Amino acid sequence: MKKKYFNKDFPTLLHGADYNPEQWVDTKEIWDEDMRLMKLASVNEASVGIFSWSVLEPRENEYHFEIFDEILDKIYNNGGRVILATPSGARPVWMAKKYPEVLRTNERGEKMLYGGRHNHCLTSPYYRKKVREMNTRLSERYGKHPAVIGWHISNEYSGECFCPLCQDAFHKFLAKKYGDIDKLNFEWWNTFWSHRFNSFEEIDAPSPLGDTYSALYLDWQRFVTEQTASFIKNEVEAVRTHSTLPVTANFMQHYTQLNYWAMEQELDAVSWDSYPDWHHDAANDLPHTAADIAFVHDTYRAMKQKPFLLMESTPSLVNWNEYNKLKRPGMHKLASIQAVAHGADSVQYFQWRKSRGSLEKFHGAVIDHNPTENTRVFRDVAEVGSFLRKIDGCAGTMPKVEVALIFDTENEWALSKAQAFCRSNKKYYDTCFKFYFALWQRGIAVDIIDANRPIDGYKMVVAPMLYMVKEETISKLESYVKNGGTLVSTYITGMVNENDLCYLNGFPANELGNVFGLVSEEVDTLFPEDSNFIAYKGEEYPVHDYCERIHPKDGAEVLAYYAKDFYAGEPALVKNKYGKGEAYYFAARDDGELSDKIISELAESLSLSVDFENLPYGVTSHSRECDGEKYIFVENYNVFPVTVKNNREMLDLETGATVKGDIELDKYGVRVFLVKK
Ligand code: GLA
Ligand code: ZN
């Protein structure tokens, strides 16, 4: 297997930050000081140009590239590299005033004023044309500049626009999808409440002033995703006019308003911006916070099946929370190396230097307003920089993954709008996370994927609450199990098709009923204060929220029963052999203990690979490998030291010492070992 680098001409882990030298153009001595400090912190990369439009084109068709010319040369001459951004994330005011079509309209039909960022209409032909022109110029000027190793397209694409241009594009999207308005009327079940349309043009985008029902909402969300993807494509084609450099865009943590899985095809690499609340102790214990972030890392690595970039993280604190707590000593290194453990080929920050004014002047940065290297934060960053150099060999390598967990964005949309179950919060992510946590704390590698991705090669697939499931997905899951796979699912699975029409003839739909060996009769949604219990191997486990009443089919094995209420004695957990494989169905939502137990039993029976047995609570381990070299990462998310049992001979990459026996980890400790096979 070959190493998969972001840019094979710079085959190394990146350590860098968003860098805005254009804010300091009147005090250029600061640029030179930046170069000195970057070297001191082993920073080898800067993301330049994000939000620079008003500097690059201060007035219509008046272009200024001098600042960029100078800074790119300077960075390169100091040994650094640049990921160059396109400026479309915030457009200049002259444009909004002269061409108001670039401004967004909100869901109530109000035209927005100029302001903020991430605020352009996705459809505006003028904005698309200007972005294309700007990006083409950047490509022409810098596409072969030796400093530039890749493109950063815009910034955190997000949001939607409800202007007439977008409504019109939505009608075209629907006409293309359904062809005939009566087909749409059928798929959206519009005879209900007399909602039948006579033409696509009569349809309004979802709005609190009109309709928000699920079929309309689902297609609107798909439309917004498609518009965003085509906006990205327009940007990418332009940067490719004079450049072959790889292209990335920064995604966000747990952002499901856009379906990133339907956008990533436009990019060469995925990157993301990570801002966990590490120390909100009352809300979450640290291992759960760590696993929550690991879930996102595993998503973006799985999306491209190659290393991703950590595009932003804060070296200290953010400024946009209600309470902005500092990262405690040790956490910066642990959080940064965690990303690498899960497949990041970079540790990058927002931001290199605090801006002097405006909204983000108190957001964490490597360099503070008192611009010295003698700060805790700078020392933390420099420590990460030198550590990255020691583990640099892992760049381009990937983990060996045997388990996939399906967390599907369109399913999340459908569940969020389903007027049923617990209406406002179905806890889809929480349910997926519970299974993920059981895997994470055993050090079992997981790919988080959407339902359209291939699953053939995995030993186990976990697909909780797959409420909305296409016929193709049903066939895929069916043949996966038939051919020997192990599938784990839960209540509220296989109920509606991709347009939110219920499947007829029993849930889980179609052949899934035979795969799981059951028919579901009804779902009992409990009040938050309610609970039931289910009995498994002589122990009782509490369950909350959902208790589905199911009827196993012939041959299915009932593993657990309800202990209370009118369905006491009925099945609550079923295992079914189907073809060469097996399927497990949790009919009720447990508190984590039972699912953890089942996952542990499955890990053993399927011999899922781990680097260490019996990891202490809050400790995990992940690895990356290539060509007989394996990098093993061990992380301690406890506030006390721990010992991890080990009997393998490994090289500690930080100290250079060979380790044979047990491994000691400090509070928040992280260690990286190399094993040669
Ligand atoms: C986002 C943006 C950055 C910055 C940071 C602050 O990730 O991309 O420009 O605003 O948030 O945390
Ligand atoms: Zn619009």
Side-chain angles (χ1 to χ4, degrees):
M1 205 181 72
K2 277 185 52 185
K3 291 191 179 178
K4 300 173 181 177
Y5 296 111
F6 173 65
N7 181 327
K8 63 178 176 8
D9 297 326
F10 198 60
T12 183
L13 295 176
L14 305 179
H15 187 221
D18 279 23
Y19 182 41
N20 295 101
E22 67 276 17
Q23 292 177 12
W24 303 94
V25 75
D26 300 326
T27 42
K28 281 201 190 158
E29 58 285 2
I30 285 181
W31 294 9
D32 291 320
E33 179 64 356
D34 285 333
M35 297 303 118
R36 182 184 77 80
L37 292 166
M38 282 182 187
K39 276 189 237 169
L40 212 55
S42 305
V43 160
N44 60 4
E45 177 274 339
S47 300
V48 175
I50 307 164
F51 309 128
S52 299
W53 203 319
S54 71
V55 168
L56 293 170
E57 191 184 358
R59 281 159 291 276
E60 189 173 12
N61 295 329
E62 181 188 321
Y63 291 95
H64 288 281
F65 292 101
E66 307 81 20
I67 295 175
F68 277 33
D69 291 349
E70 196 179 334
I71 201 73
L72 294 194
D73 287 350
K74 192 178 277 297
I75 292 173
Y76 185 69
N77 293 335
N78 281 280
R81 296 291 187 278
V82 166
I83 298 184
L84 189 59
T86 67
S88 65
R91 53 187 157 54
V93 66
W94 60 259
M95 194 188 288
K97 297 290 177 192
K98 185 160 176 199
Y99 304 95
E101 71 166 51
V102 302
L103 295 169
R104 279 187 188 174
T105 296
N106 73 13
E107 58 185 359
R108 305 180 78 87
E110 295 158 339
K111 185 100 180 152
M112 309 303 283
L113 298 175
Y114 173 77
R117 57 177 175 172
H118 306 150
N119 47 12
H120 55 269
C121 168
L122 294 163
T123 309
S124 159
Y126 175 79
Y127 196 53
R128 287 186 177 220
K129 178 173 133 293
K130 276 310 273 187
V131 166
R132 204 179 173 93
E133 271 173 28
M134 172 58 81
N135 291 8
T136 303
R137 281 171 195 267
L138 288 171
S139 174
E140 191 173 7
R141 202 166 182 103
Y142 303 117
K144 298 193 175 59
H145 192 288
V148 182
I149 56 168
W151 296 99
H152 177 306
I153 303 298
S154 201
N155 191 65
E156 294 189 339
Y157 285 105
S158 55
E160 54 201 334
C161 172
F162 297 80
C163 77
L165 291 167
C166 288
Q167 302 270 3
D168 188 46
F170 182 44
H171 299 149
K172 296 203 169 81
F173 169 90
L174 294 172
K176 188 166 164 223
K177 175 169 175 185
Y178 294 103
D180 176 70
I181 192 68
D182 278 334
K183 172 92 168 101
L184 177 144
N185 282 324
F186 175 81
E187 293 291 329
W188 290 13
W189 211 248
N190 282 340
T191 310
F192 180 81
W193 284 356
S194 214
H195 269 43
R196 297 185 65 86
F197 294 107
N198 289 313
S199 74
F200 293 105
E201 289 69 36
E202 288 172 350
I203 300 172
D204 290 322
S207 165
L209 303 177
D211 262 324
T212 56
Y213 62 110
S214 55
L216 163 68
Y217 173 77
L218 282 170
D219 274 335
W220 171 255
Q221 293 293 103
R222 290 179 181 125
F223 161 73
V224 174
T225 293
E226 195 177 287
Q227 273 311 75
T228 310
S230 90
F231 192 94
I232 298 178
K233 193 175 163 69
N234 178 56
E235 290 220 37
V236 172
E237 280 170 3
V239 296
R240 289 220 168 103
T241 50
H242 300 82
S243 161
T244 54
L245 292 169
V247 168
T248 188
N250 51 344
F251 291 170
M252 291 178 273
Q253 173 179 336
H254 297 314
Y255 184 75
T256 50
Q257 288 306 303
L258 290 169
N259 184 1
Y260 286 148
W261 294 88
M263 294 161 51
E264 61 86 7
Q265 292 80 352
E266 310 302 336
L267 308 168
D268 299 306
V270 168
S271 55
W272 81 280
D273 302 342
S274 174
Y275 293 103
D277 282 333
W278 283 112
H279 305 289
H280 194 171
D281 306 335
N284 225 347
D285 78 338
L286 208 50
H288 280 84
T289 306
D292 183 51
I293 291 304
F295 189 103
V296 190
H297 288 318
D298 285 348
T299 306
Y300 294 133
R301 185 199 62 246
M303 201 172 260
K304 282 283 185 200
Q305 293 294 326
K306 66 181 191 191
F308 59 93
L309 300 180
L310 179 66
M311 185 56 83
E312 294 179 22
S313 60
T314 177
S316 51
L317 77 178
V318 298
N319 69 334
W320 40 259
N321 271 330
E322 191 58 28
Y323 306 98
N324 297 295
K325 201 164 170 178
L326 300 176
K327 270 182 178 167
R328 271 35 196 163
M331 183 45 72
H332 181 60
K333 181 177 174 192
L334 176 57
S336 301
I337 304 307
Q338 176 194 30
V340 181
H342 284 269
D345 269 3
S346 72
V347 173
Q348 289 156 280
Y349 311 116
F350 179 84
Q351 49 193 332
W352 170 253
R353 182 182 280 271
K354 283 185 181 172
S355 41
R356 185 159 182 202
S358 205
L359 290 172
E360 296 187 319
K361 59 182 173 298
F362 294 122
H363 190 288
V366 182
I367 306 301
D368 216 317
H369 297 297
N370 177 10
T372 147
E373 64 263 45
N374 297 318
T375 63
R376 181 179 76 95
V377 170
F378 188 91
R379 283 189 293 273
D380 280 358
V381 167
E383 184 190 14
V384 166
S386 75
F387 193 71
L388 289 174
R389 299 283 59 87
K390 292 180 177 169
I391 63 170
D392 196 49
C394 75
T397 61
M398 286 285 282
K400 200 172 123 204
V401 185
E402 297 171 335
V403 179
L405 192 152
I406 296 180
F407 176 63
D408 187 84
T409 305
E410 291 206 352
N411 185 48
E412 157 72 17
W413 295 342
L415 278 167
S416 74
K417 283 286 168 196
Q419 192 130 310
F421 318 119
C422 171
R423 237 177 83 183
S424 60
N425 186 4
K426 311 293 189 298
K427 300 190 190 164
Y428 175 44
Y429 172 74
D430 298 358
T431 307
C432 292
F433 179 76
K434 193 167 55 190
F435 287 98
Y436 179 79
F437 189 75
L439 294 157
W440 176 87
Q441 56 161 344
R442 292 183 167 77
I444 297 170
V446 183
D447 277 349
I448 309 292
I449 57 171
D450 101 323
N452 294 322
R453 296 288 155 134
I455 52 174
D456 281 347
Y458 298 105
K459 283 190 181 173
M460 178 163 89
V461 172
V462 186
M465 291 182 83
L466 206 53
Y467 160 75
M468 187 175 77
V469 60
K470 291 193 283 205
E471 284 185 20
E472 297 93 284
T473 309
I474 295 179
S475 312
K476 186 169 71 180
L477 293 169
E478 189 266 338
S479 66
Y480 168 73
V481 181
K482 188 163 74 196
N483 293 324
T486 296
L487 176 64
V488 179
S489 191
T490 68
Y491 46 88
I492 312 185
T493 281
M495 300 184 91
V496 299
N497 74 4
E498 65 270 32
N499 293 321
D500 212 29
L501 284 179
C502 289
Y503 283 105
L504 301 177
N505 304 318
F507 306 136
N510 303 353
E511 195 53 24
L512 278 184
N514 293 328
V515 171
F516 290 110
L518 58 95
V519 179
S520 155
E521 188 179 328
E522 51 189 349
V523 178
D524 194 16
T525 303
L526 307 184
F527 288 98
E529 306 77 16
D530 295 338
S531 62
N532 199 327
F533 288 89
I534 61 181
Y536 175 70
K537 292 189 178 165
E539 301 264 331
E540 286 205 347
Y541 297 86
V543 291
H544 290 102
D545 302 342
Y546 299 120
C547 293
E548 195 168 291
R549 290 192 52 238
I550 55 171
H551 303 288
K553 296 186 179 174
D554 276 355
E557 188 185 339
V558 179
L559 301 179
Y561 295 89
Y562 288 109
K564 261 183 45 179
D565 221 319
F566 74 94
Y567 38 84
E570 291 187 6
L573 173 59
V574 170
K575 167 182 171 181
N576 190 44
K577 287 199 188 314
Y578 182 88
K580 294 187 207 144
E582 286 180 345
Y584 288 75
Y585 194 90
F586 284 77
R589 181 178 278 165
D590 76 295
D591 287 352
E593 214 183 324
L594 181 61
S595 33
D596 184 78
K597 201 173 191 69
I598 301 290
I599 289 294
S600 135
E601 291 176 9
L602 283 169
E604 201 171 317
S605 66
L606 296 169
S607 310
L608 299 178
S609 15
V610 290
D611 288 306
F612 306 97
E613 303 286 343
N614 302 319
L615 288 166
Y617 181 77
V619 177
T620 190
S621 143
H622 291 87
S623 55
R624 301 175 60 166
E625 54 191 286
C626 190
D627 292 340
E629 285 194 339
K630 184 171 188 178
Y631 295 83
I632 301 178
F633 297 71
V634 197
E635 304 141 51
N636 177 20
Y637 296 95
N638 290 300
V639 292
F640 46 82
V642 293
T643 305
V644 172
K645 294 255 164 283
N646 169 55
N647 43 30
R648 182 193 272 152
E649 188 170 307
M650 312 187 288
L651 180 69
D652 182 323
L653 288 174
E654 187 161 31
T655 62
T658 300
V659 174
K660 264 187 192 151
D662 293 353
I663 301 164
E664 309 296 335
L665 288 159
D666 294 338
K667 163 185 175 179
Y668 302 159
V670 55
R671 295 179 68 180
V672 184
F673 303 97
L674 174 63
V675 180
K676 299 211 185 213
K677 289 189 204 148

